[in-house]
Amino acid sequence: MRYIKLPSENFEKFFKSLEAWGTVYAPVKKGSIYSFQEVHSPSEIALDYNRTMLPPKKFFFRPKEAILRLKNGRWEEEVEAEPMVLFGLHSCDIHGLKILDKVYLDEPADPYYKSRREKTLIIGISCMPDEYCFCKSLGTHFAMDGFDLFLHELPDGWLVRIGSVRGHEIAWENGELFEEVTDEDLANFKEFEEKRSKAFQKELPQEGLADMLDLAYNSPVWKKYAEICLACGNCNMVCPTCRCYEVCDRWVDAYKAVRERRYDSCFMENHGLVAGGHNFRPTRLDRFRHRYYCKSYFDPSAGYNCVGCGRCDEFCPAKIEHVKVLEEVRGSLK
Amino acid sequence: MSENPYQTYDARILEVKDLTSREKLFTLRFLDPEVGEKFEFRPGQFVIVDIRGFGEFPISICSSPTRRGYLQLCIRKAGRMTKFIHKMKEGDIIGIRGPYGNGFPMEEMEGSNLILVAGGLGMAPLRSVLWYAIDSGKYEHIWLLYGTKAYEDILFRDEIIHLLKHGEAMNCSVKLAYEVESPSCIYLERGFSDRVCRGVVTDLFRGEEFDVNKAYALICGPPVMYKFVIRELLDRKLSPGRIYMTLERRMRCGIGKCGHCIVGTSTSIKYVCKDGPVFTYWDALSTRGLI
């Protein structure tokens, strides 16, 4: 890793230089929530945001998109991708993208996702946890790869970690904006990280978690929460790693049709339905439990399917807390 | 071939045949001979059928790879899409992508006995295995235990009756169980009293001696069937690793992206479309919800 410093006074010029790489999207405050929007000036960016409602997955795997277009009886593909710069991603969201990569870039790769991913620059930014964050327990509170540049806040600027060749290129082309990192900067960086580490209020103990949950398959806790759950699917929509989709053909006019896909939710009754009417997850309990198991699955090469961003808690209308459910289920084994 | 895995290839419907009142057999051939040539599959794999402008659905291949030049799909009229394809005629064009899934490990099973256990529509994927095994002649003996609702519901009835009559010459013993009595069934039962009976598919195990050391079981049927059939096989000391079953889920993409076919819990998650649809009983023991 290469480390450089971006002094505060150069931030605006640095931001302007990013526009040469593509349309810049960054967290913007809209009402009481944050969302990734196109920005043209650093003043528009909410640098101290906690989390956006929709995670950055929306740029690569769209809420609704046409994958094929039917013209004269033949499917035509449109694998268009505009160059983009995603500015200000938190570590958990970078980990979220890495989990999506495992799915969408696995052979055969999804060409739409792949093309957008390849044309996008990822710039991370440091953050302070709020009451919903539990990324530290999952090891996703720090990104060691998956970004081009990562900006860590310093009292007088940013300590920048360069995570890719493209990251090097940005630093190279704008050499005059950056400085060498001093001992004082390192001390500040260390102090920030320590302060941050202590700021986490929520913890999800990992020891034997996957097995404990599996053993508690028939726990009454699942039932208790399934009854509280509204099965609205909000948690799926806002989750940075949920990526189920449904496909449907739609006629545009008498001659043209599109094959569209859109976000799907495992809380919807037809998620496990097969032809002939058999449903593999017929009850809300089945579907509730399924989501928690899917999120808690541990892949030895990629970790959990959950990055602890806290969106599912913050945007749950029934106020169900992810960590609390898992803790209670695990506790019910005693 | 296209790099876009969602693109489908034109295939012409060569023949449409009524199998029952609900199921039709579609015989297809790719329009582009090069695509047809490259299209290789194993018994137990499936394809995604694309009716342009109306949607896609997964369906298992029911013809054998030993019979080249065409592809057969047995499609039950069960929903909007399948209702649509049932109206299609010879000469119509549909799209096909695939093949997908792992299929049955036919090479590993060479030289062994095969016990095919089919329930209802489960006969479709197993027909591919059946004719592959018979055509290749690489298997010691093949049993087909087939449970069906009524005489009218017997899929590939001509082939089943042909095998009841002449199967032994091809090292193949067919046994049939039906649930609803009818004159045709009684006629069949009279003709093949040792192989046709009224009951369910597990009744066909009665009195049958399988050499389990040299046998593999391949199962496909409605979800409720698996547990009972597996119990019969385990009672006969067949190793769980030699019990293969092929499963159904709501597959949209076929390539492990759309998430509909995910099964399992925090310790083991499987995609039926790419880790399966063929699984062993060991898989079922380690992945909750598989059967």
Side-chain angles (χ1 to χ4, degrees), chain A residues 17-286:
Chain A
S17 77
L18 294 176
E19 288 182 330
W21 291 80
T23 314
V24 183
Y25 296 88
V28 169
K29 191 162 193 182
K30 287 179 110 186
S32 60
I33 62 159
Y34 298 96
S35 72
F36 284 104
Q37 298 292 335
E38 186 176 338
V39 289
H40 299 283
S41 144
S43 60
E44 294 172 65
I45 308 173
L47 288 171
D48 61 345
Y49 80 111
N50 47 17
R51 65 183 62 71
T52 55
M53 185 156 82
L54 276 188
K57 74 175 176 187
K58 71 173 182 181
F59 291 103
F60 307 105
F61 162 49
R62 303 256 168 88
K64 184 173 146 186
E65 65 178 327
I67 52 172
L68 297 168
R69 286 179 194 280
L70 190 68
K71 277 178 199 156
N72 306 318
R74 294 200 62 81
W75 285 123
E76 289 179 5
E77 308 154 10
E78 273 175 46
V79 188
E80 44 55 73
E82 296 291 322
M84 287 187 289
V85 178
L86 291 194
F87 182 89
L89 265 66
H90 288 165
S91 170
C92 57
D93 280 345
I94 291 174
H95 280 274
L97 285 179
K98 280 164 67 180
I99 291 168
L100 285 193
D101 286 352
K102 284 283 270 189
V103 174
Y104 281 108
L105 300 181
D106 186 28
E107 284 300 323
D110 183 276
Y112 310 96
Y113 182 93
K114 190 178 174 200
S115 140
R116 291 167 194 154
R117 197 76 172 88
E118 281 169 352
K119 287 188 179 152
T120 303
L121 215 60
I122 302 286
I123 300 184
I125 200 163
S126 59
C127 54
M128 270 298 183
D130 69 2
E131 70 271 29
Y132 296 111
C133 300
F134 59 100
C135 53
K136 195 186 163 193
S137 329
L138 298 164
T140 52
H141 61 311
F142 199 86
M144 289 191 268
D145 61 352
F147 55 84
D148 298 289
L149 294 176
F150 204 109
L151 272 55
H152 294 268
E153 197 177 347
L154 295 174
D156 56 347
W158 306 86
L159 182 133
V160 184
R161 290 189 295 142
I162 301 178
S164 74
V165 169
R166 281 188 304 185
H168 275 295
E169 283 170 12
I170 300 171
W172 192 269
E173 286 171 16
N174 303 286
E176 74 285 356
L177 300 179
F178 299 98
E179 292 172 1
E180 289 301 314
V181 177
T182 64
D183 287 348
E184 194 192 339
D185 297 329
L186 292 183
N188 284 326
F189 172 55
K190 190 165 164 262
E191 192 194 342
F192 183 92
E193 285 305 314
E194 280 167 2
K195 194 172 132 201
R196 181 169 175 258
S197 180
K198 285 180 192 138
F200 284 94
Q201 301 164 36
K202 214 172 235 183
E203 197 193 345
L204 178 63
Q206 296 305 300
E207 297 73 34
L209 179 69
D211 285 311
M212 294 296 171
L213 293 179
D214 195 359
L215 285 165
Y217 187 82
N218 294 315
S219 165
V221 176
W222 296 122
K223 195 166 175 284
K224 174 187 141 188
Y225 278 106
E227 279 167 11
I228 301 169
C229 173
L230 300 172
C232 64
N234 252 13
C235 50
N236 295 119
M237 301 301 119
V238 302
C239 178
T241 68
C242 270
R243 38 52 180 195
C244 281
Y245 68 77
E246 182 60 290
V247 192
C248 196
D249 286 7
R250 183 173 64 82
W251 286 92
V252 179
D253 59 34
Y255 307 98
K256 283 187 233 130
V258 284
R259 176 157 293 163
E260 287 176 335
R261 67 174 169 195
R262 56 172 169 76
Y263 288 2
D264 198 2
S265 155
C266 55
F267 276 108
M268 300 300 118
E269 202 174 346
N270 63 6
H271 193 270
L273 192 72
V274 293
H278 183 80
N279 197 332
F280 284 93
R281 282 186 286 275
T283 67
R284 188 178 298 181
L285 169 67
D286 295 318

Side-chain angles (χ1 to χ4, degrees), chain A residues 287-303:
Chain A
R287 299 191 283 274
F288 184 86
R289 192 163 46 190
H290 174 72
R291 175 165 193 274
Y292 276 80
Y293 276 134
C294 188
K295 293 293 116 185
S296 308
Y297 170 64
F298 185 82
D299 178 345
S301 64

Side-chain angles (χ1 to χ4, degrees), chain B residues 26-181:
Chain B
F26 293 84
T27 304
L28 313 165
R29 181 181 288 157
F30 286 103
L31 282 192
D32 182 345
E34 205 182 319
V35 172
E37 197 58 43
K38 278 186 185 161
F39 189 91
E40 286 186 353
F41 65 96
R42 337 162 45 93
Q45 285 193 298
F46 66 96
V47 291
I48 301 265
V49 173
D50 162 31
I51 305 176
R52 276 108 200 229
F54 292 91
E56 290 186 311
F57 59 95
I59 208 98
S60 63
I61 303 170
C62 74
S63 54
S64 162
T66 48
R67 302 178 178 196
R68 293 189 66 86
Y70 65 90
L71 191 67
Q72 284 180 324
L73 309 174
C74 166
I75 301 175
R76 173 180 285 181
K77 192 157 77 177
R80 190 180 64 92
M81 295 292 303
T82 46
K83 203 169 162 185
F84 194 92
I85 199 170
H86 265 240
K87 286 185 192 151
M88 295 181 93
K89 299 271 175 285
E90 285 162 26
D92 286 346
I93 306 288
I94 58 169
I96 294 283
R97 60 186 175 93
Y100 297 126
N102 54 359
F104 289 103
M106 299 310 296
E107 294 82 14
E108 183 194 317
M109 299 187 287
E110 279 175 15
S112 304
N113 294 321
L114 303 182
I115 308 164
L116 312 182
V117 189
L121 195 51
M123 187 59 222
L126 292 184
R127 176 180 177 252
S128 178
V129 178
L130 178 73
W131 288 110
Y132 178 92
I134 291 174
D135 290 349
S136 67
K138 288 177 179 167
Y139 303 85
E140 183 110 341
H141 195 84
I142 306 146
W143 277 274
L144 170 65
L145 314 182
Y146 181 17
T148 178
K149 197 104 192 153
Y151 182 83
E152 292 71 31
D153 295 323
I154 303 173
L155 291 173
F156 311 105
R157 201 184 303 137
D158 298 347
E159 293 176 19
I160 299 293
I161 292 173
H162 179 77
L163 287 171
L164 273 170
K165 286 179 183 162
H166 310 292
E168 297 302 327
M170 297 174 244
N171 286 329
C172 177
S173 314
V174 173
K175 296 183 85 178
L176 187 73
Y178 60 91
E179 287 176 52
V180 180
E181 204 147 20

